PDB file of all heavy atoms in Angstrom:
ATOM      1  N   VAL A 697      -4.571  20.045  11.145  1.00  0.00           N
ATOM      2  CA  VAL A 697      -3.852  20.913  12.077  1.00  0.00           C
ATOM      3  C   VAL A 697      -3.843  22.334  11.542  1.00  0.00           C
ATOM      4  O   VAL A 697      -3.654  22.572  10.346  1.00  0.00           O
ATOM      5  CB  VAL A 697      -2.362  20.444  12.218  1.00  0.00           C
ATOM      6  CG1 VAL A 697      -1.543  21.319  13.137  1.00  0.00           C
ATOM      7  CG2 VAL A 697      -2.360  18.999  12.769  1.00  0.00           C
ATOM      8  N   ILE A 698      -4.053  23.338  12.442  1.00  0.00           N
ATOM      9  CA  ILE A 698      -4.121  24.725  11.911  1.00  0.00           C
ATOM     10  C   ILE A 698      -2.820  25.099  11.159  1.00  0.00           C
ATOM     11  O   ILE A 698      -2.913  25.577  10.022  1.00  0.00           O
ATOM     12  CB  ILE A 698      -4.280  25.671  13.112  1.00  0.00           C
ATOM     13  CG1 ILE A 698      -5.695  25.436  13.761  1.00  0.00           C
ATOM     14  CG2 ILE A 698      -4.157  27.173  12.650  1.00  0.00           C
ATOM     15  CD1 ILE A 698      -5.853  26.169  15.077  1.00  0.00           C
ATOM     16  N   ALA A 699      -1.678  24.853  11.748  1.00  0.00           N
ATOM     17  CA  ALA A 699      -0.395  25.116  11.067  1.00  0.00           C
ATOM     18  C   ALA A 699      -0.416  26.527  10.426  1.00  0.00           C
ATOM     19  O   ALA A 699      -0.457  26.632   9.215  1.00  0.00           O
ATOM     20  CB  ALA A 699      -0.005  24.078  10.066  1.00  0.00           C
ATOM     21  N   PRO A 700      -0.439  27.588  11.255  1.00  0.00           N
ATOM     22  CA  PRO A 700      -0.690  28.906  10.724  1.00  0.00           C
ATOM     23  C   PRO A 700       0.405  29.529   9.830  1.00  0.00           C
ATOM     24  O   PRO A 700       0.126  30.424   9.085  1.00  0.00           O
ATOM     25  CB  PRO A 700      -0.899  29.741  11.983  1.00  0.00           C
ATOM     26  CG  PRO A 700      -0.088  29.078  12.993  1.00  0.00           C
ATOM     27  CD  PRO A 700      -0.238  27.579  12.703  1.00  0.00           C
ATOM     28  N   TYR A 701       1.648  28.996   9.901  1.00  0.00           N
ATOM     29  CA  TYR A 701       2.697  29.681   9.223  1.00  0.00           C
ATOM     30  C   TYR A 701       3.160  28.897   7.937  1.00  0.00           C
ATOM     31  O   TYR A 701       3.450  27.700   7.972  1.00  0.00           O
ATOM     32  CB  TYR A 701       3.895  29.900  10.157  1.00  0.00           C
ATOM     33  CG  TYR A 701       3.510  30.676  11.367  1.00  0.00           C
ATOM     34  CD1 TYR A 701       3.477  30.111  12.623  1.00  0.00           C
ATOM     35  CD2 TYR A 701       3.109  31.994  11.258  1.00  0.00           C
ATOM     36  CE1 TYR A 701       3.070  30.813  13.752  1.00  0.00           C
ATOM     37  CE2 TYR A 701       2.744  32.734  12.375  1.00  0.00           C
ATOM     38  CZ  TYR A 701       2.704  32.156  13.602  1.00  0.00           C
ATOM     39  OH  TYR A 701       2.337  32.831  14.700  1.00  0.00           O
ATOM     40  N   ALA A 702       3.257  29.628   6.844  1.00  0.00           N
ATOM     41  CA  ALA A 702       3.665  29.070   5.572  1.00  0.00           C
ATOM     42  C   ALA A 702       5.011  28.388   5.604  1.00  0.00           C
ATOM     43  O   ALA A 702       5.200  27.301   5.062  1.00  0.00           O
ATOM     44  CB  ALA A 702       3.649  30.121   4.461  1.00  0.00           C
ATOM     45  N   ASP A 703       5.972  28.968   6.322  1.00  0.00           N
ATOM     46  CA  ASP A 703       7.300  28.377   6.326  1.00  0.00           C
ATOM     47  C   ASP A 703       7.300  27.054   7.115  1.00  0.00           C
ATOM     48  O   ASP A 703       8.040  26.147   6.742  1.00  0.00           O
ATOM     49  CB  ASP A 703       8.350  29.380   6.911  1.00  0.00           C
ATOM     50  CG  ASP A 703       8.084  29.795   8.368  1.00  0.00           C
ATOM     51  OD1 ASP A 703       6.959  29.759   8.833  1.00  0.00           O
ATOM     52  OD2 ASP A 703       9.073  30.238   9.001  1.00  0.00           O
ATOM     53  N   SER A 704       6.445  26.925   8.136  1.00  0.00           N
ATOM     54  CA  SER A 704       6.378  25.644   8.787  1.00  0.00           C
ATOM     55  C   SER A 704       5.791  24.594   7.926  1.00  0.00           C
ATOM     56  O   SER A 704       6.303  23.421   7.886  1.00  0.00           O
ATOM     57  CB  SER A 704       5.485  25.820  10.089  1.00  0.00           C
ATOM     58  OG  SER A 704       6.090  26.693  10.956  1.00  0.00           O
ATOM     59  N   ARG A 705       4.736  24.923   7.206  1.00  0.00           N
ATOM     60  CA  ARG A 705       4.172  23.949   6.304  1.00  0.00           C
ATOM     61  C   ARG A 705       5.055  23.557   5.155  1.00  0.00           C
ATOM     62  O   ARG A 705       5.206  22.422   4.774  1.00  0.00           O
ATOM     63  CB  ARG A 705       2.858  24.498   5.709  1.00  0.00           C
ATOM     64  CG  ARG A 705       1.720  24.639   6.813  1.00  0.00           C
ATOM     65  CD  ARG A 705       0.420  24.973   6.159  1.00  0.00           C
ATOM     66  NE  ARG A 705       0.386  26.137   5.220  1.00  0.00           N
ATOM     67  CZ  ARG A 705       0.112  27.355   5.633  1.00  0.00           C
ATOM     68  NH1 ARG A 705      -0.159  27.668   6.886  1.00  0.00           N
ATOM     69  NH2 ARG A 705       0.127  28.300   4.729  1.00  0.00           N
ATOM     70  N   GLU A 706       5.844  24.605   4.677  1.00  0.00           N
ATOM     71  CA  GLU A 706       6.803  24.283   3.612  1.00  0.00           C
ATOM     72  C   GLU A 706       7.922  23.384   4.083  1.00  0.00           C
ATOM     73  O   GLU A 706       8.383  22.468   3.344  1.00  0.00           O
ATOM     74  CB  GLU A 706       7.389  25.617   3.068  1.00  0.00           C
ATOM     75  CG  GLU A 706       8.353  25.421   1.900  1.00  0.00           C
ATOM     76  CD  GLU A 706       7.743  24.752   0.672  1.00  0.00           C
ATOM     77  OE1 GLU A 706       6.481  24.755   0.484  1.00  0.00           O
ATOM     78  OE2 GLU A 706       8.484  24.134  -0.118  1.00  0.00           O
ATOM     79  N   ALA A 707       8.361  23.546   5.295  1.00  0.00           N
ATOM     80  CA  ALA A 707       9.402  22.618   5.832  1.00  0.00           C
ATOM     81  C   ALA A 707       8.877  21.199   5.951  1.00  0.00           C
ATOM     82  O   ALA A 707       9.605  20.223   5.663  1.00  0.00           O
ATOM     83  CB  ALA A 707       9.807  23.094   7.270  1.00  0.00           C
ATOM     84  N   VAL A 708       7.621  21.018   6.260  1.00  0.00           N
ATOM     85  CA  VAL A 708       7.017  19.664   6.296  1.00  0.00           C
ATOM     86  C   VAL A 708       6.901  19.073   4.894  1.00  0.00           C
ATOM     87  O   VAL A 708       7.283  17.920   4.676  1.00  0.00           O
ATOM     88  CB  VAL A 708       5.611  19.698   6.922  1.00  0.00           C
ATOM     89  CG1 VAL A 708       4.871  18.337   6.766  1.00  0.00           C
ATOM     90  CG2 VAL A 708       5.715  20.056   8.391  1.00  0.00           C
ATOM     91  N   ARG A 709       6.607  19.969   3.940  1.00  0.00           N
ATOM     92  CA  ARG A 709       6.505  19.462   2.516  1.00  0.00           C
ATOM     93  C   ARG A 709       7.901  19.054   2.079  1.00  0.00           C
ATOM     94  O   ARG A 709       8.049  17.945   1.455  1.00  0.00           O
ATOM     95  CB  ARG A 709       5.975  20.578   1.617  1.00  0.00           C
ATOM     96  CG  ARG A 709       5.890  20.178   0.096  1.00  0.00           C
ATOM     97  CD  ARG A 709       5.563  21.347  -0.827  1.00  0.00           C
ATOM     98  NE  ARG A 709       4.252  21.824  -0.573  1.00  0.00           N
ATOM     99  CZ  ARG A 709       3.119  21.298  -1.065  1.00  0.00           C
ATOM    100  NH1 ARG A 709       3.196  20.265  -1.848  1.00  0.00           N
ATOM    101  NH2 ARG A 709       1.980  21.890  -0.816  1.00  0.00           N
ATOM    102  N   LYS A 710       8.910  19.813   2.383  1.00  0.00           N
ATOM    103  CA  LYS A 710      10.292  19.505   1.972  1.00  0.00           C
ATOM    104  C   LYS A 710      10.752  18.174   2.672  1.00  0.00           C
ATOM    105  O   LYS A 710      11.478  17.439   2.051  1.00  0.00           O
ATOM    106  CB  LYS A 710      11.247  20.577   2.288  1.00  0.00           C
ATOM    107  CG  LYS A 710      11.041  21.812   1.355  1.00  0.00           C
ATOM    108  CD  LYS A 710      11.988  22.948   1.659  1.00  0.00           C
ATOM    109  CE  LYS A 710      11.819  24.041   0.680  1.00  0.00           C
ATOM    110  NZ  LYS A 710      12.683  25.223   0.920  1.00  0.00           N
ATOM    111  N   ARG A 711      10.370  17.966   3.851  1.00  0.00           N
ATOM    112  CA  ARG A 711      10.726  16.703   4.542  1.00  0.00           C
ATOM    113  C   ARG A 711      10.157  15.542   3.772  1.00  0.00           C
ATOM    114  O   ARG A 711      10.846  14.510   3.550  1.00  0.00           O
ATOM    115  CB  ARG A 711      10.185  16.685   6.024  1.00  0.00           C
ATOM    116  CG  ARG A 711      10.241  15.308   6.677  1.00  0.00           C
ATOM    117  CD  ARG A 711       9.653  15.271   8.048  1.00  0.00           C
ATOM    118  NE  ARG A 711      10.371  16.085   9.017  1.00  0.00           N
ATOM    119  CZ  ARG A 711      11.511  15.708   9.588  1.00  0.00           C
ATOM    120  NH1 ARG A 711      12.079  14.587   9.273  1.00  0.00           N
ATOM    121  NH2 ARG A 711      12.039  16.501  10.497  1.00  0.00           N
ATOM    122  N   HIS A 712       8.883  15.634   3.332  1.00  0.00           N
ATOM    123  CA  HIS A 712       8.301  14.562   2.553  1.00  0.00           C
ATOM    124  C   HIS A 712       8.947  14.386   1.207  1.00  0.00           C
ATOM    125  O   HIS A 712       9.166  13.319   0.731  1.00  0.00           O
ATOM    126  CB  HIS A 712       6.817  14.856   2.400  1.00  0.00           C
ATOM    127  CG  HIS A 712       5.975  14.498   3.623  1.00  0.00           C
ATOM    128  ND1 HIS A 712       6.061  15.315   4.766  1.00  0.00           N
ATOM    129  CD2 HIS A 712       5.145  13.561   3.902  1.00  0.00           C
ATOM    130  CE1 HIS A 712       5.264  14.774   5.738  1.00  0.00           C
ATOM    131  NE2 HIS A 712       4.713  13.719   5.163  1.00  0.00           N
ATOM    132  N   GLN A 713       9.287  15.507   0.585  1.00  0.00           N
ATOM    133  CA  GLN A 713       9.981  15.397  -0.746  1.00  0.00           C
ATOM    134  C   GLN A 713      11.336  14.705  -0.550  1.00  0.00           C
ATOM    135  O   GLN A 713      11.654  13.872  -1.371  1.00  0.00           O
ATOM    136  CB  GLN A 713      10.195  16.822  -1.325  1.00  0.00           C
ATOM    137  CG  GLN A 713       8.976  17.459  -1.820  1.00  0.00           C
ATOM    138  CD  GLN A 713       9.160  18.891  -2.234  1.00  0.00           C
ATOM    139  OE1 GLN A 713      10.075  19.623  -1.784  1.00  0.00           O
ATOM    140  NE2 GLN A 713       8.276  19.419  -3.077  1.00  0.00           N
ATOM    141  N   ALA A 714      12.028  15.010   0.490  1.00  0.00           N
ATOM    142  CA  ALA A 714      13.343  14.374   0.760  1.00  0.00           C
ATOM    143  C   ALA A 714      13.178  12.907   1.030  1.00  0.00           C
ATOM    144  O   ALA A 714      14.088  12.124   0.614  1.00  0.00           O
ATOM    145  CB  ALA A 714      14.074  15.121   1.902  1.00  0.00           C
ATOM    146  N   SER A 715      12.148  12.495   1.658  1.00  0.00           N
ATOM    147  CA  SER A 715      11.981  11.083   2.000  1.00  0.00           C
ATOM    148  C   SER A 715      11.293  10.284   0.860  1.00  0.00           C
ATOM    149  O   SER A 715      11.314   9.089   0.885  1.00  0.00           O
ATOM    150  CB  SER A 715      11.200  10.899   3.273  1.00  0.00           C
ATOM    151  OG  SER A 715       9.799  11.180   3.035  1.00  0.00           O
ATOM    152  N   GLY A 716      10.692  11.021  -0.035  1.00  0.00           N
ATOM    153  CA  GLY A 716       9.949  10.364  -1.144  1.00  0.00           C
ATOM    154  C   GLY A 716       8.517  10.053  -0.791  1.00  0.00           C
ATOM    155  O   GLY A 716       7.772   9.377  -1.577  1.00  0.00           O
ATOM    156  N   ALA A 717       8.035  10.484   0.345  1.00  0.00           N
ATOM    157  CA  ALA A 717       6.678  10.250   0.709  1.00  0.00           C
ATOM    158  C   ALA A 717       5.723  11.243   0.104  1.00  0.00           C
ATOM    159  O   ALA A 717       6.050  12.392  -0.006  1.00  0.00           O
ATOM    160  CB  ALA A 717       6.540  10.345   2.232  1.00  0.00           C
ATOM    161  N   ALA A 718       4.551  10.767  -0.319  1.00  0.00           N
ATOM    162  CA  ALA A 718       3.576  11.646  -0.955  1.00  0.00           C
ATOM    163  C   ALA A 718       3.000  12.615   0.065  1.00  0.00           C
ATOM    164  O   ALA A 718       2.823  12.258   1.210  1.00  0.00           O
ATOM    165  CB  ALA A 718       2.429  10.811  -1.543  1.00  0.00           C
ATOM    166  N   TYR A 719       2.797  13.824  -0.415  1.00  0.00           N
ATOM    167  CA  TYR A 719       2.249  14.907   0.517  1.00  0.00           C
ATOM    168  C   TYR A 719       1.275  15.686  -0.282  1.00  0.00           C
ATOM    169  O   TYR A 719       1.493  16.113  -1.409  1.00  0.00           O
ATOM    170  CB  TYR A 719       3.456  15.820   0.923  1.00  0.00           C
ATOM    171  CG  TYR A 719       3.049  16.955   1.842  1.00  0.00           C
ATOM    172  CD1 TYR A 719       2.908  16.749   3.144  1.00  0.00           C
ATOM    173  CD2 TYR A 719       2.809  18.183   1.269  1.00  0.00           C
ATOM    174  CE1 TYR A 719       2.569  17.821   3.989  1.00  0.00           C
ATOM    175  CE2 TYR A 719       2.473  19.238   2.086  1.00  0.00           C
ATOM    176  CZ  TYR A 719       2.356  19.078   3.460  1.00  0.00           C
ATOM    177  OH  TYR A 719       2.016  20.123   4.277  1.00  0.00           O
TER     178      TYR A 719
END
Side-chain angles (χ1 to χ4, degrees):
V697 176
I698 295 168
Y701 302 114
D703 61 339
S704 296
R705 294 189 306 267
E706 184 58 25
V708 171
R709 179 186 296 276
K710 286 181 178 175
R711 169 183 292 284
H712 282 72
Q713 287 172 337
S715 76
Y719 179 84

